Amino acid sequence: MSALASHIETTPAATTPRRLRLSHYLLLVFICIVSFVPGIASIPPLDRDESRYIQATHQMAESGDYVDIRFQDASRYKKPIGIYWLQSAALKLTGFDDKAPAWAYRLVSVAGATVAVLATATLGAFLFGQSAGLLAGIALASIVMLGFEARVAKTDATVLATVVMAQAALAFMWMASRRQAAETWAPALTFWVATAVGVLIKGPITPFVSLLTMASLSLYYREWRWLKRLKPIAGIIILLAIVLPWLIMITMKSGGAFFNESVNKDFLSKVGDAQESHGAPPGYFALIFVFFIWPFGVLAVRGGLQALGRLREDPRLAFLVAWYVPFWLVTELIPTKLPHYVLPAYPALLLIMAWAIDTEVASGPYQGKWQIWIERLTLLGLAAATLALMGAGLVLPYVMTGSFSLPGIIAFFSAFAAGLFASGLILNHNLKGALQASATFAIITLGLLTWGVVPALTPMWLSPAIADAYKGAKPCPDSVLASASYAEPSLVFLAGTNTVLTDGAGAAQHILADPKCAIAAVDEGQRNGFIASLPEGEKSVAAIATVSGINYSKGRRTTVTLYRAAP
């Protein structure tokens, strides 16, 4: 990104350096490691999306087929190949290959989140100077949403990196057009490569963010000629050269099934109707905003409100608002809603926040009372989000395990400190210091929760307990587990690709078909059907282990008993 920045002249009025130094990048990398790595090795595979991704990649490593995407025997065509290739590369680089633990798959998300932070800081420095760039990068590295996504082996942290890279390149071209600077290839090339990689990772998200930004800016300024700097004909050729080879291969292999599942069943169904019970009315993302951008909700709203009155006079702010607002509005209108959907817009708002804090505009008065009320409502939301995180550290361990957790107790106080510093109620004369203090305590809080608190909530982790019991009791090296009713993808990853997901009767047939080696894990709701399907009832099997806990995907407690054929 710094090489790209050198191709664009800085504004004549610039009084601060517009590029980060190597020491700044090293500092940000260190912050990202501290922020994103704790917990990736101690949190078990999560249901359901993460475990589906890592199991599909695991099967690629097992089979050697890096074109097709499968979960057990079923195709998995909801997303393109990009994330699976990146995870496969991580398995090769770590030396684990198909024996890799979950943390090896998560390294891709850690790297993607780190690139997103570095690119955000680079863009912030280009637009507003070194100080603002560093503030924006630090803020993005410490928010709850990215802290979670960086620890999960899914697409969202990685696609965020492509969004920020593409948007940074677009911003360089936008600002060059405002100054009528000479056209150069570097930003256009960066834009198209980032867009192509984004398409391979998560389909239309990366180009959609950019298209909304371009359309909004062009309509607001009533000027479209600046888009020539994208070199669209050559750019589309570059995009197709990167994306088409795999699309052709998967089309030939799947007979067109990939497009039917990814476009019709996944993307269009989310746009047209609420998918998988994830529907919510418009306003959902505004309601959850303060929690997922925690702890910076109040400071971000301050910056956003101050920027609204300066759009015409400052094209930098206009670009960032055109990035954030249209994408946020579209996500509010789509029936299917999950918290991470709006993540690609967060860097824009954090950049505005950094500008407002660096220029001390964030401490200034508002022009209307409605802005004061918005800040007060956001402050209430910040208080609620802070209390929720404090409770997660203190209450969750006690409720689930009957005892308090030292990391949770520390997280209780660090979450309080992060919320307090980010509230704007103290250090209002030094918001830079407040942001840095808040970010520090937020990183500590998330690190303690993900490293020390969440992994110790043993009732939540049914799949690891079942898999451990199965591996400890299996009578043959090639024993296969059948699971009746409990069908979480994490169990398939932990117990093996051949794990049979079935019902009580199917589990009984599994035992009868291979009485010497087979093991069945039977959920309590399927026990009667399991026993009834055995020729001698309970006499046909011997219970070898019992696991009790919470199936958090379904929100219920359950008990799973492992059986083998009676001797």
Side-chain angles (χ1 to χ4, degrees), residues 253-277:
K253 191 149 195 169
S254 69
F258 169 77
F259 289 98
N260 182 54
E261 187 170 337
S262 65
V263 178
N264 293 336
K265 293 184 179 180
D266 187 56
F267 179 70
L268 292 180
S269 65
K270 289 177 180 176
V271 174
D273 199 3
Q275 190 183 61
E276 298 177 358
S277 302

Side-chain angles (χ1 to χ4, degrees), residues 41 73 324 378 407 422 487 529:
D73 292 329
Y324 182 82
T378 308

Side-chain angles (χ1 to χ4, degrees), residues 317-469:
L317 297 176
F319 178 88
L320 296 175
V321 171
W323 175 355
Y324 182 82
V325 173
F327 186 79
W328 165 60
L329 290 176
V330 170
T331 55
E332 292 284 18
L333 294 175
I334 294 173
T336 303
K337 291 181 175 67
L338 288 170
H340 62 263
Y341 283 6
V342 78
L343 177 60
Y346 281 170
L349 188 57
L350 294 176
L351 283 162
I352 294 173
M353 178 189 74
W355 157 80
I357 290 175
D358 189 55
T359 58
E360 300 184 356
V361 170
S363 302
Y366 292 123
Q367 296 178 352
K369 289 186 178 180
W370 64 273
Q371 295 169 313
I372 297 173
W373 281 107
I374 288 178
E375 182 179 326
R376 288 176 179 175
L377 288 173
T378 308
L379 184 60
L380 287 176
L382 173 65
T386 302
L387 287 172
L389 287 164
M390 292 168 66
L394 197 65
V395 178
L396 271 180
Y398 185 80
V399 169
M400 288 201 175
T401 66
S403 61
F404 293 107
S405 160
L406 179 59
I409 293 171
I410 300 172
F412 176 89
F413 291 105
S414 62
F416 173 77
L420 183 62
F421 280 111
S423 67
L425 298 177
I426 63 172
L427 290 184
N428 198 45
H429 63 287
N430 182 17
L431 289 180
K432 285 186 185 179
L435 184 149
Q436 292 165 351
S438 181
T440 300
F441 284 111
I443 290 171
I444 292 171
T445 301
L446 294 176
L448 289 169
L449 291 177
T450 55
W451 166 77
V453 175
V454 173
L457 303 178
T458 50
M460 288 179 54
W461 309 122
L462 270 174
S463 289
I466 295 170
D468 288 344

Side-chain angles (χ1 to χ4, degrees), residues 132-395:
L134 284 171
L135 291 175
I138 291 169
L140 182 61
S142 54
I143 63 171
V144 161
M145 177 62 76
L146 190 57
F148 173 76
E149 293 297 340
R151 291 171 166 86
V152 181
K154 301 198 289 102
T155 57
D156 298 288
T158 311
V159 83
L160 179 66
T162 68
V163 168
V164 180
M165 291 289 289
Q167 290 293 96
L170 192 64
F172 294 149
M173 288 182 277
W174 166 249
M175 292 305 298
S177 75
R178 297 298 90 194
R179 298 189 303 274
Q180 298 182 344
E183 294 185 22
T184 56
W185 266 97
L189 180 62
T190 301
F191 174 85
W192 288 107
V193 171
T195 299
V197 174
V199 169
L200 277 177
I201 292 172
K202 203 172 182 178
I205 298 302
T206 301
F208 186 60
V209 174
S210 297
L211 285 171
L212 284 176
T213 306
M214 286 185 264
S216 300
L217 281 173
S218 299
L219 287 171
Y220 185 70
Y221 282 86
R222 298 180 182 178
E223 196 252 298
W224 300 84
R225 286 175 298 175
W226 72 279
L227 296 175
K228 291 181 180 179
R229 293 173 180 268
L230 284 166
K231 306 188 184 301
I233 295 176
I236 291 173
I237 292 173
I238 292 170
L239 186 148
L240 293 176
I242 295 173
V243 173
L244 269 185
W246 176 77
L247 285 180
I248 293 171
M249 288 188 289
I250 193 63
T251 300
M252 295 174 61
K253 191 149 195 169
S254 69
F258 169 77
F259 289 98
N260 182 54
E261 187 170 337
S262 65
V263 178
N264 293 336
K265 293 184 179 180
D266 187 56
F267 179 70
L268 292 180
S269 65
K270 289 177 180 176
V271 174
D273 199 3
Q275 190 183 61
E276 298 177 358
S277 302
H278 296 312
Y284 170 80
F285 290 111
L287 187 64
I288 67 170
F289 162 79
V290 178
F291 181 80
F292 287 102
I293 206 168
W294 186 88
F296 298 116
V298 171
L299 296 179
V301 164
R302 277 192 185 186
L305 292 174
Q306 295 288 3
L308 288 178
R310 296 172 167 83
L311 301 185
R312 181 64 66 177
E313 65 192 56
D314 194 333
R316 302 170 303 174
L317 297 176
F319 178 88
L320 296 175
V321 171
W323 175 355
Y324 182 82
V325 173
F327 186 79
W328 165 60
L329 290 176
V330 170
T331 55
E332 292 284 18
L333 294 175
I334 294 173
T336 303
K337 291 181 175 67
L338 288 170
H340 62 263
Y341 283 6
V342 78
L343 177 60
Y346 281 170
L349 188 57
L350 294 176
L351 283 162
I352 294 173
M353 178 189 74
W355 157 80
I357 290 175
D358 189 55
T359 58
E360 300 184 356
V361 170
S363 302
Y366 292 123
Q367 296 178 352
K369 289 186 178 180
W370 64 273
Q371 295 169 313
I372 297 173
W373 281 107
I374 288 178
E375 182 179 326
R376 288 176 179 175
L377 288 173
T378 308
L379 184 60
L380 287 176
L382 173 65
T386 302
L387 287 172
L389 287 164
M390 292 168 66
L394 197 65
V395 178

